[in-house]
């Protein structure tokens, strides 16, 4: 009976997130506009300046647009993870998060379900982006679109877990802008999303080290290799380890005895 | 012997150095509507946060229907229905979608959930509006939906945190009357936080909370008899504003 309860709750939480997503069409469009602008404008503009040499998983010279496509998929998942955490802060401020916390299920399970729900939305957005990229002539091998699914799921879970962790620290919605500047931009720009590691090394050794150990870089590489039907073990292990670390810390953050919620208080009187 | 719905024993809580609750103890029985009366800053919301286990108290104990909230939290929370001060419905979803979501969180299957949704909404005269988005409902109707949601999993204890704030008089009266009907007809235990004196009925129990401490508790009639004060308004005034406060 307990398993049935857990199953129904997961279906309920994921279903609610998908329903909200369907009802908020502007959210879907805006989630796609950002990476598409990067693809159509930024990548086209920098095509000549940023030539990419042959490096795995690519077997030939590629256009810059082709190179940054996995990075832009990572961008979708990163922003989606952060948006989920934004909605957690909003939900907590507005009280609906409290409704979730009062139901008779363990906190870790509720957080995992929220994470699965957010990731499902991110994966849908990623496939929509891949569809548009296909029409723009950025085409990977057909099986790559199947291989990429587990990579997108793991990357989405890792970035969503980071969002959950951040949401446990943020007391009010206004503080979220700072997190965007201090988390999203450094994660994205100090990664292999826009330029390969060897290119970063040419300009700065420190930046190269930071980019190499940036979990977002590893997630992007996992996606990049999967899209070309290849397996990157290091990226998989690194992304999985980062997911476990962020998720464990997020669960601690929401723990009713020890977490950040206790320190921050519930407000009101 | 009837099982106590809620037992709070010697509960204390502080935000850093600021003490929000100080040795609070009281009980709520089934078939009893207990009004938690206190001015702003009395500690009502902190008490509700602890009873709903948003966080744990370091001192004291809370038992829900015989289950320790800290040690047997899932069993305890399964017996609890809550209406928070702020609306917690999803405005972009319909009334039914909101209620189905809550039913899923409590492990209720779709068929059983739909049956209960119909029962609760009909009781609150909201069944005709089940397909409407919550955003389209007025404040009073949203509150009715929240009460229906809180009762969907058939709890033994209903917590209401100032549910009538911001509502017009007819909506307030409808909610007060509906909750009192639930107490008498379904033997439900209710803990109702408010600062509105006119929501207290003659046979209600009363807990007066001020500066994190219980200043008085018991049946309203007994408190009035013991103190000699005329009405709950005077009880509230004397205990929270007078020299005894």
């Amino acid at each position: 009976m307990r398993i049935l309860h857990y199953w129904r709750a997961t279906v309920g939480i994921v279903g609610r997130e998908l329903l909200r997503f369907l009802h908020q069409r502007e959210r879907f469009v805006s989630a796609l506009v950002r990476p598409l602008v990067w693809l159509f404008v930024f990548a086209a503009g920098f095509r000549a300046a940023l030539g990419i040499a042959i490096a795995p998983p690519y077997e030939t010279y590629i256009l810059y647009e082709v190179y940054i496509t996995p990075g832009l998929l990572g961008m979708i998942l990163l922003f989606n993870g952060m948006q989920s955490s934004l909605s957690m802060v909003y939900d907590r401020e507005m009280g609906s998060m409290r409704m979730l916390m009062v139901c008779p299920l363990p906190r870790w399970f509720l957080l995992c379900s929220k994470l699965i729900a957010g990731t499902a939305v991110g994966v849908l957005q990623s496939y929509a982006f891949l569809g548009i990229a296909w029409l723009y002539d950025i085409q990977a091998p057909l099986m790559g679109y199947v291989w990429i699914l587990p990579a997108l799921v793991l990357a989405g879970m890792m970035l969503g877990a980071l969002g959950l962790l951040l949401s446990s620290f943020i007391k009010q919605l206004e503080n979220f802008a700072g997190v965007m500047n201090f988390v999203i931009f450094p994660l994205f720009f100090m990664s292999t999303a826009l330029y390969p590691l060897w290119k970063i090394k040419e300009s700065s050794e420190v930046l190269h080290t930071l980019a190499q150990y940036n979990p977002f870089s590893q997630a992007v590489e996992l996606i990049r290799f999967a899209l070309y039907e290849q397996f990157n073990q290091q990226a998989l292990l690194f992304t999985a380890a980062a997911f476990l670390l962020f998720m464990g810390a997020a669960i601690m953050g929401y723990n009713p005895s020890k977490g950040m919620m206790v320190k921050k208080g519930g407000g009101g009187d | 012997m009837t099982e106590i719905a809620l037992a709070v024993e010697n509960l204390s809580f502080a935000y850093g150095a600021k003490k929000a609750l100080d040795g609070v103890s009281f009980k709520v029985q089934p078939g009893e509507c207990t009004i938690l009366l206190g001015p702003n800053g009395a500690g009502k919301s902190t008490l509700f946060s602890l009873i709903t286990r948003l966080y744990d108290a370091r001192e004291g104990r809370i038992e829900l229907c015989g289950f320790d909230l800290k040690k047997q939290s899932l069993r305890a929370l399964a017996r609890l229905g809550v209406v928070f001060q702020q609306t917690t419905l999803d405005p972009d979803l319909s009334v039914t979608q909101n209620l189905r979501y809550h039913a899923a969180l409590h492990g209720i299957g779709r068929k059983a959930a739909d049956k209960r949704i119909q029962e609760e909404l009909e009781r609150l005269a909201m069944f005709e509006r089940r397909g409407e988005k919550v955003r389209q409902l007025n404040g009073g109707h949203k509150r009715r939906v929240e009460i229906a949601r809180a009762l969907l999993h058939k709890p033994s204890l209903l917590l209401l945190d100032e549910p009538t704030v911001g509502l017009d008089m007819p909506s307030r009266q409808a909610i007060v009357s509906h909750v009192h009907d639930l107490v008498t007809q379904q033997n439900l235990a209710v803990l109702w936080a408010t600062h509105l004196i006119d929501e207290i009925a003659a046979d209600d129990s009363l807990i007066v909370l001020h500066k994190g401490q219980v200043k008085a508790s018991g049946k309203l009639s007994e408190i009035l008899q013991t103190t000699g004060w005329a009405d709950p308004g005077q009880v509230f005034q004397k205990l929270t504003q007078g020299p005894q406060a």
Side-chain angles (χ1 to χ4, degrees), chain B residues 42-68:
Chain B
K44 299 192 297 290
S45 290
T46 302
L47 182 61
F48 268 52
S49 294
L50 296 173
I51 297 172
T52 53
R53 209 178 175 237
L54 190 65
Y55 31 83
D56 287 331
R58 294 199 177 95
E59 283 176 57
R61 192 159 179 263
I62 300 170
E63 253 186 36
L64 271 149
C65 303
F67 297 108
D68 186 298

PDB file of all heavy atoms in Angstrom, chain B residues 42-68:
ATOM      1  N   ALA B  42       1.617  36.826  18.667  1.00  0.00           N
ATOM      2  CA  ALA B  42       1.411  35.987  19.857  1.00  0.00           C
ATOM      3  C   ALA B  42       2.143  34.650  19.752  1.00  0.00           C
ATOM      4  O   ALA B  42       2.476  34.027  20.754  1.00  0.00           O
ATOM      5  CB  ALA B  42      -0.070  35.745  20.065  1.00  0.00           C
ATOM      6  N   GLY B  43       2.389  34.202  18.510  1.00  0.00           N
ATOM      7  CA  GLY B  43       3.051  32.909  18.322  1.00  0.00           C
ATOM      8  C   GLY B  43       2.152  31.889  17.631  1.00  0.00           C
ATOM      9  O   GLY B  43       2.491  30.710  17.545  1.00  0.00           O
ATOM     10  N   LYS B  44       0.999  32.346  17.130  1.00  0.00           N
ATOM     11  CA  LYS B  44       0.031  31.424  16.504  1.00  0.00           C
ATOM     12  C   LYS B  44       0.630  30.737  15.263  1.00  0.00           C
ATOM     13  O   LYS B  44       0.537  29.518  15.115  1.00  0.00           O
ATOM     14  CB  LYS B  44      -1.242  32.172  16.082  1.00  0.00           C
ATOM     15  CG  LYS B  44      -1.996  32.835  17.216  1.00  0.00           C
ATOM     16  CD  LYS B  44      -3.381  33.297  16.799  1.00  0.00           C
ATOM     17  CE  LYS B  44      -3.382  34.355  15.721  1.00  0.00           C
ATOM     18  NZ  LYS B  44      -2.899  35.681  16.154  1.00  0.00           N
ATOM     19  N   SER B  45       1.236  31.537  14.401  1.00  0.00           N
ATOM     20  CA  SER B  45       1.786  30.956  13.162  1.00  0.00           C
ATOM     21  C   SER B  45       2.951  30.023  13.451  1.00  0.00           C
ATOM     22  O   SER B  45       3.107  28.993  12.788  1.00  0.00           O
ATOM     23  CB  SER B  45       2.219  32.057  12.201  1.00  0.00           C
ATOM     24  OG  SER B  45       1.089  32.709  11.704  1.00  0.00           O
ATOM     25  N   THR B  46       3.753  30.365  14.457  1.00  0.00           N
ATOM     26  CA  THR B  46       4.862  29.476  14.838  1.00  0.00           C
ATOM     27  C   THR B  46       4.297  28.154  15.348  1.00  0.00           C
ATOM     28  O   THR B  46       4.780  27.078  14.971  1.00  0.00           O
ATOM     29  CB  THR B  46       5.728  30.141  15.934  1.00  0.00           C
ATOM     30  OG1 THR B  46       6.213  31.375  15.425  1.00  0.00           O
ATOM     31  CG2 THR B  46       6.895  29.252  16.333  1.00  0.00           C
ATOM     32  N   LEU B  47       3.265  28.256  16.173  1.00  0.00           N
ATOM     33  CA  LEU B  47       2.625  27.048  16.697  1.00  0.00           C
ATOM     34  C   LEU B  47       2.094  26.184  15.552  1.00  0.00           C
ATOM     35  O   LEU B  47       2.290  24.961  15.533  1.00  0.00           O
ATOM     36  CB  LEU B  47       1.494  27.451  17.658  1.00  0.00           C
ATOM     37  CG  LEU B  47       0.735  26.324  18.346  1.00  0.00           C
ATOM     38  CD1 LEU B  47       1.657  25.472  19.213  1.00  0.00           C
ATOM     39  CD2 LEU B  47      -0.398  26.867  19.192  1.00  0.00           C
ATOM     40  N   PHE B  48       1.455  26.810  14.569  1.00  0.00           N
ATOM     41  CA  PHE B  48       0.933  26.069  13.418  1.00  0.00           C
ATOM     42  C   PHE B  48       2.071  25.453  12.599  1.00  0.00           C
ATOM     43  O   PHE B  48       1.941  24.340  12.099  1.00  0.00           O
ATOM     44  CB  PHE B  48       0.070  26.980  12.546  1.00  0.00           C
ATOM     45  CG  PHE B  48      -1.379  26.930  12.929  1.00  0.00           C
ATOM     46  CD1 PHE B  48      -1.768  27.138  14.244  1.00  0.00           C
ATOM     47  CD2 PHE B  48      -2.356  26.666  12.003  1.00  0.00           C
ATOM     48  CE1 PHE B  48      -3.093  27.078  14.617  1.00  0.00           C
ATOM     49  CE2 PHE B  48      -3.698  26.589  12.361  1.00  0.00           C
ATOM     50  CZ  PHE B  48      -4.070  26.801  13.668  1.00  0.00           C
ATOM     51  N   SER B  49       3.165  26.181  12.467  1.00  0.00           N
ATOM     52  CA  SER B  49       4.312  25.637  11.719  1.00  0.00           C
ATOM     53  C   SER B  49       4.857  24.387  12.407  1.00  0.00           C
ATOM     54  O   SER B  49       5.286  23.443  11.742  1.00  0.00           O
ATOM     55  CB  SER B  49       5.428  26.682  11.621  1.00  0.00           C
ATOM     56  OG  SER B  49       4.997  27.759  10.841  1.00  0.00           O
ATOM     57  N   LEU B  50       4.835  24.390  13.731  1.00  0.00           N
ATOM     58  CA  LEU B  50       5.340  23.228  14.469  1.00  0.00           C
ATOM     59  C   LEU B  50       4.351  22.066  14.399  1.00  0.00           C
ATOM     60  O   LEU B  50       4.761  20.913  14.236  1.00  0.00           O
ATOM     61  CB  LEU B  50       5.624  23.599  15.929  1.00  0.00           C
ATOM     62  CG  LEU B  50       6.730  24.639  16.138  1.00  0.00           C
ATOM     63  CD1 LEU B  50       6.818  25.052  17.602  1.00  0.00           C
ATOM     64  CD2 LEU B  50       8.083  24.089  15.689  1.00  0.00           C
ATOM     65  N   ILE B  51       3.048  22.370  14.496  1.00  0.00           N
ATOM     66  CA  ILE B  51       2.048  21.291  14.445  1.00  0.00           C
ATOM     67  C   ILE B  51       2.018  20.663  13.042  1.00  0.00           C
ATOM     68  O   ILE B  51       1.768  19.473  12.891  1.00  0.00           O
ATOM     69  CB  ILE B  51       0.641  21.807  14.853  1.00  0.00           C
ATOM     70  CG1 ILE B  51       0.657  22.281  16.304  1.00  0.00           C
ATOM     71  CG2 ILE B  51      -0.415  20.709  14.710  1.00  0.00           C
ATOM     72  CD1 ILE B  51      -0.624  22.982  16.750  1.00  0.00           C
ATOM     73  N   THR B  52       2.283  21.467  12.016  1.00  0.00           N
ATOM     74  CA  THR B  52       2.284  20.920  10.648  1.00  0.00           C
ATOM     75  C   THR B  52       3.681  20.400  10.271  1.00  0.00           C
ATOM     76  O   THR B  52       3.910  20.005   9.140  1.00  0.00           O
ATOM     77  CB  THR B  52       1.850  21.980   9.625  1.00  0.00           C
ATOM     78  OG1 THR B  52       2.657  23.138   9.803  1.00  0.00           O
ATOM     79  CG2 THR B  52       0.399  22.344   9.787  1.00  0.00           C
ATOM     80  N   ARG B  53       4.582  20.441  11.184  1.00  0.00           N
ATOM     81  CA  ARG B  53       5.964  19.951  11.044  1.00  0.00           C
ATOM     82  C   ARG B  53       6.722  20.609   9.887  1.00  0.00           C
ATOM     83  O   ARG B  53       7.454  19.941   9.154  1.00  0.00           O
ATOM     84  CB  ARG B  53       6.004  18.416  10.895  1.00  0.00           C
ATOM     85  CG  ARG B  53       7.324  17.892  11.467  1.00  0.00           C
ATOM     86  CD  ARG B  53       7.477  16.416  11.441  1.00  0.00           C
ATOM     87  NE  ARG B  53       8.826  16.088  11.903  1.00  0.00           N
ATOM     88  CZ  ARG B  53       9.690  15.398  11.190  1.00  0.00           C
ATOM     89  NH1 ARG B  53       9.395  14.959   9.995  1.00  0.00           N
ATOM     90  NH2 ARG B  53      10.888  15.131  11.677  1.00  0.00           N
ATOM     91  N   LEU B  54       6.497  21.892   9.746  1.00  0.00           N
ATOM     92  CA  LEU B  54       7.341  22.633   8.810  1.00  0.00           C
ATOM     93  C   LEU B  54       8.764  22.587   9.367  1.00  0.00           C
ATOM     94  O   LEU B  54       9.727  22.489   8.624  1.00  0.00           O
ATOM     95  CB  LEU B  54       6.848  24.069   8.678  1.00  0.00           C
ATOM     96  CG  LEU B  54       7.484  24.881   7.572  1.00  0.00           C
ATOM     97  CD1 LEU B  54       7.133  24.303   6.211  1.00  0.00           C
ATOM     98  CD2 LEU B  54       7.064  26.337   7.640  1.00  0.00           C
ATOM     99  N   TYR B  55       8.868  22.674  10.670  1.00  0.00           N
ATOM    100  CA  TYR B  55      10.120  22.384  11.348  1.00  0.00           C
ATOM    101  C   TYR B  55       9.815  21.818  12.730  1.00  0.00           C
ATOM    102  O   TYR B  55       8.696  21.918  13.215  1.00  0.00           O
ATOM    103  CB  TYR B  55      11.062  23.586  11.422  1.00  0.00           C
ATOM    104  CG  TYR B  55      10.409  24.933  11.508  1.00  0.00           C
ATOM    105  CD1 TYR B  55       9.966  25.441  12.714  1.00  0.00           C
ATOM    106  CD2 TYR B  55      10.240  25.708  10.367  1.00  0.00           C
ATOM    107  CE1 TYR B  55       9.379  26.696  12.788  1.00  0.00           C
ATOM    108  CE2 TYR B  55       9.645  26.951  10.437  1.00  0.00           C
ATOM    109  CZ  TYR B  55       9.218  27.439  11.648  1.00  0.00           C
ATOM    110  OH  TYR B  55       8.636  28.674  11.709  1.00  0.00           O
ATOM    111  N   ASP B  56      10.845  21.214  13.320  1.00  0.00           N
ATOM    112  CA  ASP B  56      10.658  20.546  14.613  1.00  0.00           C
ATOM    113  C   ASP B  56      10.993  21.473  15.775  1.00  0.00           C
ATOM    114  O   ASP B  56      11.914  22.279  15.685  1.00  0.00           O
ATOM    115  CB  ASP B  56      11.579  19.320  14.700  1.00  0.00           C
ATOM    116  CG  ASP B  56      11.078  18.184  13.819  1.00  0.00           C
ATOM    117  OD1 ASP B  56       9.855  18.094  13.601  1.00  0.00           O
ATOM    118  OD2 ASP B  56      11.914  17.389  13.357  1.00  0.00           O
ATOM    119  N   ALA B  57      10.261  21.264  16.848  1.00  0.00           N
ATOM    120  CA  ALA B  57      10.582  21.998  18.078  1.00  0.00           C
ATOM    121  C   ALA B  57      11.732  21.282  18.792  1.00  0.00           C
ATOM    122  O   ALA B  57      11.816  20.063  18.747  1.00  0.00           O
ATOM    123  CB  ALA B  57       9.365  22.034  18.982  1.00  0.00           C
ATOM    124  N   ARG B  58      12.603  22.047  19.398  1.00  0.00           N
ATOM    125  CA  ARG B  58      13.710  21.421  20.133  1.00  0.00           C
ATOM    126  C   ARG B  58      13.273  21.059  21.552  1.00  0.00           C
ATOM    127  O   ARG B  58      13.819  20.176  22.169  1.00  0.00           O
ATOM    128  CB  ARG B  58      14.913  22.362  20.170  1.00  0.00           C
ATOM    129  CG  ARG B  58      15.485  22.564  18.772  1.00  0.00           C
ATOM    130  CD  ARG B  58      16.899  23.090  18.795  1.00  0.00           C
ATOM    131  NE  ARG B  58      17.377  23.190  17.413  1.00  0.00           N
ATOM    132  CZ  ARG B  58      17.322  24.297  16.685  1.00  0.00           C
ATOM    133  NH1 ARG B  58      16.817  25.382  17.186  1.00  0.00           N
ATOM    134  NH2 ARG B  58      17.779  24.308  15.448  1.00  0.00           N
ATOM    135  N   GLU B  59      12.280  21.785  22.040  1.00  0.00           N
ATOM    136  CA  GLU B  59      11.771  21.494  23.386  1.00  0.00           C
ATOM    137  C   GLU B  59      10.278  21.221  23.309  1.00  0.00           C
ATOM    138  O   GLU B  59       9.559  21.936  22.613  1.00  0.00           O
ATOM    139  CB  GLU B  59      11.977  22.699  24.306  1.00  0.00           C
ATOM    140  CG  GLU B  59      13.397  22.873  24.808  1.00  0.00           C
ATOM    141  CD  GLU B  59      13.520  24.151  25.629  1.00  0.00           C
ATOM    142  OE1 GLU B  59      12.787  24.287  26.616  1.00  0.00           O
ATOM    143  OE2 GLU B  59      14.338  24.996  25.243  1.00  0.00           O
ATOM    144  N   GLY B  60       9.828  20.201  24.055  1.00  0.00           N
ATOM    145  CA  GLY B  60       8.404  19.909  24.095  1.00  0.00           C
ATOM    146  C   GLY B  60       8.017  18.807  23.118  1.00  0.00           C
ATOM    147  O   GLY B  60       8.868  18.258  22.407  1.00  0.00           O
ATOM    148  N   ARG B  61       6.727  18.514  23.109  1.00  0.00           N
ATOM    149  CA  ARG B  61       6.244  17.350  22.368  1.00  0.00           C
ATOM    150  C   ARG B  61       4.869  17.649  21.768  1.00  0.00           C
ATOM    151  O   ARG B  61       4.056  18.326  22.387  1.00  0.00           O
ATOM    152  CB  ARG B  61       6.139  16.203  23.378  1.00  0.00           C
ATOM    153  CG  ARG B  61       5.932  14.853  22.813  1.00  0.00           C
ATOM    154  CD  ARG B  61       6.371  13.805  23.853  1.00  0.00           C
ATOM    155  NE  ARG B  61       6.158  12.480  23.319  1.00  0.00           N
ATOM    156  CZ  ARG B  61       5.087  11.744  23.587  1.00  0.00           C
ATOM    157  NH1 ARG B  61       4.180  12.196  24.410  1.00  0.00           N
ATOM    158  NH2 ARG B  61       4.962  10.553  23.041  1.00  0.00           N
ATOM    159  N   ILE B  62       4.651  17.103  20.567  1.00  0.00           N
ATOM    160  CA  ILE B  62       3.330  17.228  19.933  1.00  0.00           C
ATOM    161  C   ILE B  62       2.853  15.823  19.559  1.00  0.00           C
ATOM    162  O   ILE B  62       3.603  15.065  18.933  1.00  0.00           O
ATOM    163  CB  ILE B  62       3.388  18.109  18.669  1.00  0.00           C
ATOM    164  CG1 ILE B  62       3.877  19.525  19.011  1.00  0.00           C
ATOM    165  CG2 ILE B  62       2.028  18.175  17.983  1.00  0.00           C
ATOM    166  CD1 ILE B  62       4.185  20.385  17.795  1.00  0.00           C
ATOM    167  N   GLU B  63       1.631  15.503  19.947  1.00  0.00           N
ATOM    168  CA  GLU B  63       1.040  14.210  19.574  1.00  0.00           C
ATOM    169  C   GLU B  63      -0.240  14.451  18.799  1.00  0.00           C
ATOM    170  O   GLU B  63      -1.079  15.238  19.219  1.00  0.00           O
ATOM    171  CB  GLU B  63       0.713  13.411  20.831  1.00  0.00           C
ATOM    172  CG  GLU B  63       1.644  12.252  21.055  1.00  0.00           C
ATOM    173  CD  GLU B  63       1.208  11.396  22.228  1.00  0.00           C
ATOM    174  OE1 GLU B  63      -0.009  11.223  22.424  1.00  0.00           O
ATOM    175  OE2 GLU B  63       2.096  10.917  22.932  1.00  0.00           O
ATOM    176  N   LEU B  64      -0.353  13.760  17.661  1.00  0.00           N
ATOM    177  CA  LEU B  64      -1.567  13.851  16.850  1.00  0.00           C
ATOM    178  C   LEU B  64      -2.240  12.486  16.843  1.00  0.00           C
ATOM    179  O   LEU B  64      -1.648  11.517  16.357  1.00  0.00           O
ATOM    180  CB  LEU B  64      -1.201  14.233  15.416  1.00  0.00           C
ATOM    181  CG  LEU B  64      -1.139  15.719  15.098  1.00  0.00           C
ATOM    182  CD1 LEU B  64      -0.115  15.976  14.037  1.00  0.00           C
ATOM    183  CD2 LEU B  64      -2.487  16.162  14.610  1.00  0.00           C
ATOM    184  N   CYS B  65      -3.422  12.406  17.416  1.00  0.00           N
ATOM    185  CA  CYS B  65      -4.175  11.144  17.504  1.00  0.00           C
ATOM    186  C   CYS B  65      -3.296  10.026  18.079  1.00  0.00           C
ATOM    187  O   CYS B  65      -3.330   8.885  17.583  1.00  0.00           O
ATOM    188  CB  CYS B  65      -4.720  10.748  16.138  1.00  0.00           C
ATOM    189  SG  CYS B  65      -5.747  11.999  15.410  1.00  0.00           S
ATOM    190  N   GLY B  66      -2.512  10.338  19.045  1.00  0.00           N
ATOM    191  CA  GLY B  66      -1.684   9.333  19.714  1.00  0.00           C
ATOM    192  C   GLY B  66      -0.334   9.096  19.052  1.00  0.00           C
ATOM    193  O   GLY B  66       0.480   8.327  19.558  1.00  0.00           O
ATOM    194  N   PHE B  67      -0.061   9.747  17.938  1.00  0.00           N
ATOM    195  CA  PHE B  67       1.230   9.558  17.251  1.00  0.00           C
ATOM    196  C   PHE B  67       2.152  10.755  17.503  1.00  0.00           C
ATOM    197  O   PHE B  67       1.738  11.906  17.301  1.00  0.00           O
ATOM    198  CB  PHE B  67       1.027   9.378  15.741  1.00  0.00           C
ATOM    199  CG  PHE B  67       0.247   8.158  15.382  1.00  0.00           C
ATOM    200  CD1 PHE B  67      -1.052   8.249  14.910  1.00  0.00           C
ATOM    201  CD2 PHE B  67       0.814   6.896  15.537  1.00  0.00           C
ATOM    202  CE1 PHE B  67      -1.773   7.115  14.584  1.00  0.00           C
ATOM    203  CE2 PHE B  67       0.090   5.752  15.213  1.00  0.00           C
ATOM    204  CZ  PHE B  67      -1.210   5.863  14.741  1.00  0.00           C
ATOM    205  N   ASP B  68       3.358  10.432  17.938  1.00  0.00           N
ATOM    206  CA  ASP B  68       4.349  11.483  18.184  1.00  0.00           C
ATOM    207  C   ASP B  68       4.746  12.109  16.837  1.00  0.00           C
ATOM    208  O   ASP B  68       5.180  11.404  15.924  1.00  0.00           O
ATOM    209  CB  ASP B  68       5.568  10.867  18.869  1.00  0.00           C
ATOM    210  CG  ASP B  68       6.564  11.920  19.295  1.00  0.00           C
ATOM    211  OD1 ASP B  68       7.099  12.638  18.420  1.00  0.00           O
ATOM    212  OD2 ASP B  68       6.821  12.017  20.496  1.00  0.00           O
TER     213      ASP B  68
END
